[in-house]
Amino acid sequence: MFATAGQEAFFEGHVHAFRVLGGIPRRHVRCDNLLAAVERVLGFYRGRVEADRWTAFRSHWGVEAFYCRPGIEGADEKGGVEGQIGYFRRNHLVPVPEVASLTELNAMVDQWEPGR
């Protein structure tokens, strides 16, 4: 967890996940069209103009991005991403953990079993 939602936190979160989960995804990373990764959506398909730093990050780590389609056609994809976030929140952050700092919260999160 990070105090901000900036691009640096986005990258650091990915690196942390690679370490905690034991490697880089073999297939792809599913992305909503967040500004940390996407400068412009190209129509109603998966084409994107990526942020330069995201392209460099992906290239360095060998990560393939899979972008959710915009509009009604991609509602189930975006809903799937948001559903996974909701599942995590309901199962780990409700009730809100009592911690003294983000460092303590992150140490707690690192102990949780992936996929639970």
Side-chain angles (χ1 to χ4, degrees), residues 24-62:
I24 298 165
R26 288 183 238 164
R27 192 165 170 211
H28 57 251
V29 173
R30 186 185 302 195
C31 298
D32 195 353
N33 300 305
L34 66 169
L35 290 175
V38 175
E39 286 187 6
R40 191 172 70 240
V41 175
L42 303 174
F44 288 98
Y45 63 104
R46 297 188 200 287
R48 303 293 181 270
V49 173
E50 293 182 329
D52 291 341
R53 291 181 67 204
W54 171 238
T55 301
F57 178 90
R58 285 193 321 94
S59 298
H60 173 79
W61 287 96

Side-chain angles (χ1 to χ4, degrees), residues 9 32 81 100 108:
D32 195 353
V81 171
M108 182 186 297

Side-chain angles (χ1 to χ4, degrees), residues 30-33 44-46 48 66-85:
R30 186 185 302 195
C31 298
D32 195 353
N33 300 305
F44 288 98
Y45 63 104
R46 297 188 200 287
R48 303 293 181 270
F66 178 85
Y67 295 104
C68 296
R69 290 180 296 172
I72 194 72
E73 296 83 12
D76 60 325
E77 294 173 351
K78 183 173 177 162
V81 171
E82 291 172 356
Q84 291 169 341
I85 293 167

Side-chain angles (χ1 to χ4, degrees), residues 89 92-99 105 108:
R89 182 180 45 78
H92 295 294
L93 301 175
V94 175
V96 175
E98 293 186 30
V99 295
L105 178 59
M108 182 186 297

